[in-house]
């Protein structure tokens, strides 16, 4: 019963956050030796790993596009990533998440530079706690940069939820379960500025005014995440430089 769960008490959320606060975020680039680019990312209790391969020859060959690279994105939840074991393999939800996430990233990848090739992005959710698609997109963006894939900018993703009538940034599982709305966003950020929305989904109900406020709240969160993505990339290059010296 929605009414019985109080998600905001004295202006604070059940994990102590203010409505406009993100969960703690940890990002590490270049963690997998056998991928061209990779990233491990935590967003609250979400733990995800992204691996990028490419540009490389398309397999199977008949999928090759003579004018540009094809981009593939696979979002997968490990069976142990949720409380009740998740049945392994793709399902409708993961297929949908993979599709919208791919479309968000495809819009910024310079595909025309690599005809007949593929850029393959694999994202594994090791532990999920709401917002896993946003965590995966943030990790995938960093992994793409780590792989050296030319891009027009970067994608940064965060959700906003409405709980107890209040808009909150980066909802956790309880807020997602018992809240009135959940709105994942992804933004295209170029030269440190948000240029456009690359993904916007919603379930639940909000007013037009609330949706506008949700966009502003998500933008604020995205800029904070963007800084951490940049730091992770710079840290990786610093470590590589030190190793070379
Ligand atoms: P997102 O993780 O992007 O918020 P959803 O809103 O669909 O995507 O899912 C919210 C949360 O519900 C997930 O992060 C996960 O914790 C849980 N969940 C999703 N699918 C399953 C599943 N098949 N089994 C158990 N828990 C799931």
């Amino acid at each position: 019963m929605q009414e019985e769960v109080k998600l905001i008490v004295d202006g604070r959320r059940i994990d102590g956050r203010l409505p406009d606060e993100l969960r703690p975020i940890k990002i590490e680039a270049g963690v997998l030796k056998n991928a061209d680019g990779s990233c491990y990312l935590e967003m609250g209790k979400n733990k995800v790993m992204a691996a990028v391969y490419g540009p490389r020859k398309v397999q199977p060959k008949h999928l090759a596009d003579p004018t540009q690279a094809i981009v593939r994105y696979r979002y997968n939840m490990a069976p142990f990533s949720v409380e009740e074991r998740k049945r392994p393999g793709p399902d409708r939800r993961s297929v949908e998440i993979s599709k919208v996430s791919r479309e968000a990233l495809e819009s910024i990848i310079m595909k025309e530079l690599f005809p007949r090739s593929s850029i393959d992005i694999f994202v594994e959710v090791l532990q999920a706690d709401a917002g896993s698609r946003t965590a995966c997109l943030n990790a995938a963006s960093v992994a793409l940069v780590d792989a050296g894939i030319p891009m027009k900018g970067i994608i940064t993703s965060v959700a906003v939820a409405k709980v107890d009538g209040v808009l909150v940034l980066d909802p956790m599982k309880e807020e997602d379960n018992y809240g009135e709305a959940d709105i994942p966003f992804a933004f295209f950020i170029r030269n440190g500025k948000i240029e456009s929305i690359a993904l916007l989904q919603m379930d639940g109900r909000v007013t037009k005014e609330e949706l506008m406020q949700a966009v502003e709240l998500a933008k604020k969160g995205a800029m904070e995440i963007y800084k951490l993505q940049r730091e992770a990339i710079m840290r990786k290059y610093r470590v590589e430089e030190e190793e070379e010296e």
Side-chain angles (χ1 to χ4, degrees), residues 151-169:
M151 297 194 287
K152 297 171 200 154
I154 200 168
I155 291 288
T156 301
S157 179
V158 70
V160 169
K162 183 178 167 189
V163 300
D164 293 353
V166 178
L167 293 174
V168 297
L169 186 62

Side-chain angles (χ1 to χ4, degrees), residues 19 53 68 102 117-118 187:
Y53 295 84
Q68 58 181 2
R102 170 178 55 76
S117 358
S118 74
F187 298 99

Side-chain angles (χ1 to χ4, degrees), residues 17-233:
R17 279 185 291 160
L18 292 168
D20 67 348
E21 266 182 79
L22 294 167
R23 291 175 283 189
I25 296 178
K26 191 177 138 186
I27 312 180
E28 200 178 338
V31 288
L32 300 176
K33 181 167 83 56
N34 297 332
D36 294 319
S38 59
C39 174
Y40 172 73
L41 184 144
E42 293 180 4
M43 231 170 136
K45 291 184 199 149
N46 291 295
K47 297 184 178 188
V48 308
M49 180 74 85
V52 169
Y53 295 84
R56 63 181 179 182
K57 264 202 182 138
V58 181
Q59 290 292 350
K61 267 195 201 144
H62 72 267
L63 292 179
D65 181 336
T67 63
Q68 58 181 2
I70 61 163
V71 177
R72 293 183 283 202
Y73 187 101
R74 192 191 71 179
Y75 165 102
N76 184 54
M77 271 184 141
F80 50 79
S81 64
V82 288
E83 268 171 40
E84 303 268 320
R85 175 181 178 273
K86 189 209 164 272
R87 202 161 158 248
D91 49 27
R92 275 179 59 178
R93 175 177 169 278
S94 65
V95 170
E96 179 218 307
I97 292 177
S98 299
K99 177 180 184 288
V100 294
S101 305
R102 170 178 55 76
E103 285 170 353
L105 290 168
E106 242 183 338
S107 66
I108 66 157
I109 295 174
M110 299 170 93
K111 295 185 295 183
E112 66 283 1
L113 297 178
F114 306 103
R116 299 197 172 279
S117 358
S118 74
I119 295 163
D120 295 305
I121 307 156
F122 297 91
V123 207
E124 296 290 322
V125 179
L126 308 173
Q127 186 170 287
D129 190 71
S132 65
R133 76 193 65 199
T134 66
C136 287
L137 266 171
N138 293 330
S141 283
V142 172
L144 282 163
V145 176
D146 185 40
I149 306 288
M151 297 194 287
K152 297 171 200 154
I154 200 168
I155 291 288
T156 301
S157 179
V158 70
V160 169
K162 183 178 167 189
V163 300
D164 293 353
V166 178
L167 293 174
V168 297
L169 186 62
D170 189 22
M172 60 198 278
K173 190 81 174 72
E174 290 78 357
E175 293 171 330
D176 187 23
N177 283 0
Y178 302 109
E180 294 108 65
D182 177 30
I183 319 172
F185 290 89
F187 298 99
F188 166 43
I189 302 183
R190 178 161 37 191
N191 298 328
K193 287 203 184 73
I194 292 178
E195 287 230 341
S196 51
I197 297 177
L199 176 148
L200 169 55
Q201 298 182 285
M202 185 173 117
D203 47 67
R205 267 175 63 176
V206 294
T207 64
K208 188 175 154 196
E209 289 70 30
E210 283 168 337
L211 181 60
M212 295 303 144
Q213 289 162 12
V215 173
E216 291 311 311
L217 187 54
K219 278 178 158 179
K220 173 190 170 290
M223 286 311 294
E224 290 173 33
I225 297 169
Y226 167 69
K227 289 199 185 97
L228 299 173
Q229 287 174 305
R230 268 184 62 101
E231 276 172 28
I233 292 157

